[in-house]
Amino acid sequence: MSKLCVIGTGYVGLVTGTCFADLGNQVVCMDIDDNRISQLNKGVMPIYEPGLEQLVLQNVKAGRLTFTTDYAAALKDADFAFIAVGTPSGDEGEADLQYVRSAAEAIADLVEKPVVVVNKSTVPVGTGDWVADIIRKRRNGRPLQFSVASNPEFLREGSAINDFMMPDRVVLGSEDRKAAEAVAELYAALRCQILITDLRTAEMIKYASNAFLATKISFVNEIANICEELGADVRQVAVGMGLDKRIGPAFLDAGLGWGGSCFPKDVKALAHMAVLHGSQPQLLQAVMDINRMQRRRMVMKLRKNLGSLDEKTIGVLGISFKPNTDDLRDAPALEIIHLLQLEGAKVQAYDPQGMENAAKILKSVKLCKNPYEVAEGADALVLATEWNEFKQLDFARIRGLMAKPIIMDGRNLWDPQHLRELGFDYTGVGRP
Ligand code: UDX
Ligand code: UDX
């Protein structure tokens, strides 16, 4: 059993801390947000993540998992201090490291026994060395035995617990092999492949992985756009491509493109790092441009079908950036709603888990209780997020509720033939 402190109880920190507790460690999750911690202490989750609540409650009950805002108490006995604070995009596209800095400073101020500082936040290549420097300078000669390791997270929201417990790989980077091996021990029970590298290589693996996945999606979206012109079906094209083991079937779903808390900021940050160091990241730029256009194309398709969007009522199904999360960060739906409003459209929307977050940020959008209320009086219905509950809607009822039978399926969720038989004018992405 090891003693862990996890700084930051967001999507990554909370899942990581809880899963390590479940593996038998003693974990203190620390956050500067009072409200978040007091809710967690009452058993109320700050985020929607399938399976998380039960796992948290179980481990709190077993005495392995606690929550606090007190940095000193959280760090006092820690063998490992995980940094899992946010690293949002700064003005230039760079990763904003102010929260990582304050975590490193707290560690320098409050830890007095040997510790491995493990960075889980996605940070620019070289940040591990920077964190070590901050700690060293701040100690100002006061001795502290510490090492820094990078341990990037590969957790998908919506399946984060599974991704933690059954990872394809664990990546660990450190200049101190022993420290990396100590972190590797924490994962030993998972019996997965563990790759140990130097610090900078581990940091780069994270960016390169996310950028590659985003590239795969932008690639298939570009193919989808070409399919639309040439009369091919991108869904079958993706199946045909994916059967080739060198390509693989995952991340080839054409649609409205990628959003979320990671891909957008990570691709931007990697491109920014490249430019700063004299490279021309042309592919990354194209990957981002295609993604931006993918959202705009949906609005263009609507305009083509409806003419002017002024005063038109558009229903939007799904607001979260992907299914099974309440996270709206950089969700394609938000940009589409914004573009529609700029053209004078009235928007009504519904999301299975994202309504609370939507209410905080969406202005002048009618927030509905279910998909049928979204359809009521709508001139068109846009599917932005492919939640399971949208798969089997009563389309005959929806047809009766809508002002015009126009369906824009932004995630290729529905059967075009079935909808056309019901009298809908159906448009998907990359489908004839
Ligand atoms: C994480 C990573 O840290 C990010 O780099 C990665 O790419 C994606 O996942 P995430 O868990 O999504 O971020 O962040 P968020 O949900 O914003 O949570 C961050 C938490 O850290 C918040 O609860 C915030 O209150 C807390 N925090 C922030 C601290 O405890 N201390 C700080 O100084 C700043
Ligand atoms: C991502 C990484 O996958 C994960 O390893 C970690 O680094 C955190 O960031 P996440 O953002 O939670 O996870 O979701 P992911 O499943 O990767 O989807 C990202 C976006 O791509 C979503 O908006 C999703 O709708 C979109 N997507 C995904 C597609 O448009 N098509 C696909 O085929 C797959």
Side-chain angles (χ1 to χ4, degrees):
M1 184 201 76
S2 297
K3 290 179 180 153
L4 275 62
C5 165
V6 180
I7 305 172
T9 58
Y11 287 85
V12 171
L14 186 55
V15 170
T16 301
T18 305
C19 289
F20 274 131
D22 203 55
L23 294 178
N25 299 288
Q26 193 65 44
V27 180
V28 185
C29 282
M30 186 276 154
D31 204 291
I32 52 169
D33 183 336
D34 286 332
N35 184 39
R36 188 166 274 234
I37 292 298
S38 69
Q39 292 292 92
L40 277 165
N41 277 326
K42 288 182 205 142
V44 179
M45 296 304 109
I47 54 169
Y48 173 77
E49 180 64 40
L52 182 63
E53 181 173 336
Q54 198 195 347
L55 208 60
V56 167
L57 296 179
Q58 230 165 274
N59 283 284
V60 167
K61 197 167 165 208
R64 289 188 296 264
L65 180 64
T66 55
F67 300 101
T68 183
T69 52
D70 182 348
Y71 254 125
L75 287 167
K76 193 163 64 81
D77 295 320
D79 307 310
F80 299 90
F82 280 79
I83 301 180
V85 295
T87 48
S89 278
D91 294 343
E92 300 283 324
E94 80 283 8
D96 179 348
L97 292 179
Q98 59 170 313
Y99 306 121
V100 176
R101 174 187 279 281
S102 56
E105 289 176 349
I107 292 168
D109 292 345
L110 299 165
V111 176
E112 294 304 336
K113 49 172 267 196
V115 69
V116 182
V117 178
V118 190
N119 195 19
K120 271 235 165 262
S121 298
T122 304
V123 291
V125 177
T127 302
D129 296 329
W130 176 76
V131 164
D133 260 5
I134 291 176
I135 297 177
R136 232 174 270 120
K137 282 191 189 132
R138 190 124 173 148
R139 294 293 293 187
N140 201 14
R142 276 190 305 139
L144 173 68
Q145 197 184 322
F146 77 98
S147 299
V148 176
S150 161
N151 175 208
E153 55 87 10
F154 301 106
L155 309 176
R156 285 167 299 175
E157 288 179 26
S159 55
I161 291 169
N162 264 342
D163 286 351
F164 185 97
M165 294 296 189
M166 288 179 280
D168 289 344
R169 82 310 206 179
V170 166
V171 173
L172 292 170
S174 183
E175 305 315 304
D176 175 353
R177 180 83 195 186
K178 280 219 168 76
E181 281 168 0
V183 184
E185 270 302 303
L186 296 175
Y187 288 98
L190 302 181
R191 296 175 192 283
C192 62
Q193 174 129 15
I194 297 180
L195 177 69
I196 297 185
T197 67
D198 60 73
L199 253 180
R200 286 170 184 244
T201 302
E203 289 166 345
M204 184 52 112
I205 287 171
K206 169 64 197 241
Y207 277 110
S209 300
N210 272 359
F212 182 76
L213 292 171
T215 302
K216 232 179 150 185
I217 300 168
S218 281
F219 178 85
V220 81
N221 280 331
E222 179 150 287
I223 295 294
N225 299 339
I226 302 171
C227 282
E228 282 176 12
E229 299 305 320
L230 301 180
D233 184 341
V234 74
R235 294 217 324 168
Q236 287 183 37
V237 171
V239 172
M241 286 170 64
L243 287 170
D244 185 328
K245 289 194 187 68
R246 294 169 301 175
I247 299 174
F251 281 68
L252 283 180
D253 290 330
L256 296 177
W258 38 272
S261 65
C262 283
F263 286 3
K265 82 171 166 52
D266 292 351
V267 180
K268 223 193 272 176
L270 181 57
H272 178 76
M273 267 182 266
V275 169
L276 270 190
H277 293 87
S279 294
Q280 288 182 1
Q282 294 175 46
L283 178 60
L284 298 179
Q285 292 298 352
V287 166
M288 290 189 279
D289 289 347
I290 292 167
N291 200 51
R292 199 171 310 120
M293 269 315 286
Q294 211 57 17
R295 301 166 180 194
R296 294 180 185 168
R297 278 177 72 91
M298 177 50 75
V299 177
M300 284 155 56
K301 284 179 184 173
L302 266 173
R303 210 186 299 117
K304 202 166 154 199
N305 265 1
L306 281 170
S308 161
L309 297 177
D310 193 33
E311 292 290 308
K312 297 284 178 357
T313 299
I314 312 293
V316 175
L317 287 180
I319 309 174
S320 58
F321 81 93
K322 63 182 248 184
N324 298 322
T325 179
D326 60 351
D327 197 345
L328 307 189
R329 286 179 282 183
D330 220 321
L334 293 183
E335 186 169 355
I336 289 170
I337 288 171
H338 177 66
L339 292 171
L340 291 171
Q341 288 181 323
L342 284 180
E343 297 199 24
K346 290 181 273 183
V347 179
Q348 46 200 38
Y350 165 75
D351 187 273
Q353 291 293 337
M355 297 312 269
E356 211 179 304
N357 287 334
K360 292 180 203 153
I361 52 174
L362 283 179
K363 302 275 171 290
S364 323
V365 171
K366 181 179 170 204
L367 295 175
C368 301
K369 289 188 191 64
N370 57 54
Y372 302 99
E373 200 183 331
V374 173
E376 226 171 282
D379 294 300
L381 205 53
V382 178
L383 178 94
T385 320
E386 68 281 28
W387 283 88
N388 268 344
E389 74 168 68
F390 299 149
K391 281 184 181 156
Q392 309 277 350
L393 295 172
D394 180 349
F395 280 105
R397 183 176 164 202
I398 286 185
R399 172 78 180 81
L401 290 166
M402 291 178 71
K404 290 199 180 91
I406 294 176
I407 286 206
M408 314 297 287
D409 181 355
R411 298 289 180 180
N412 290 339
L413 184 69
W414 296 315
D415 176 7
Q417 199 186 334
H418 173 62
L419 291 185
R420 284 177 191 138
E421 279 164 12
L422 286 172
F424 284 103
D425 177 345
Y426 173 95
T427 308
V429 178
R431 306 173 94 175

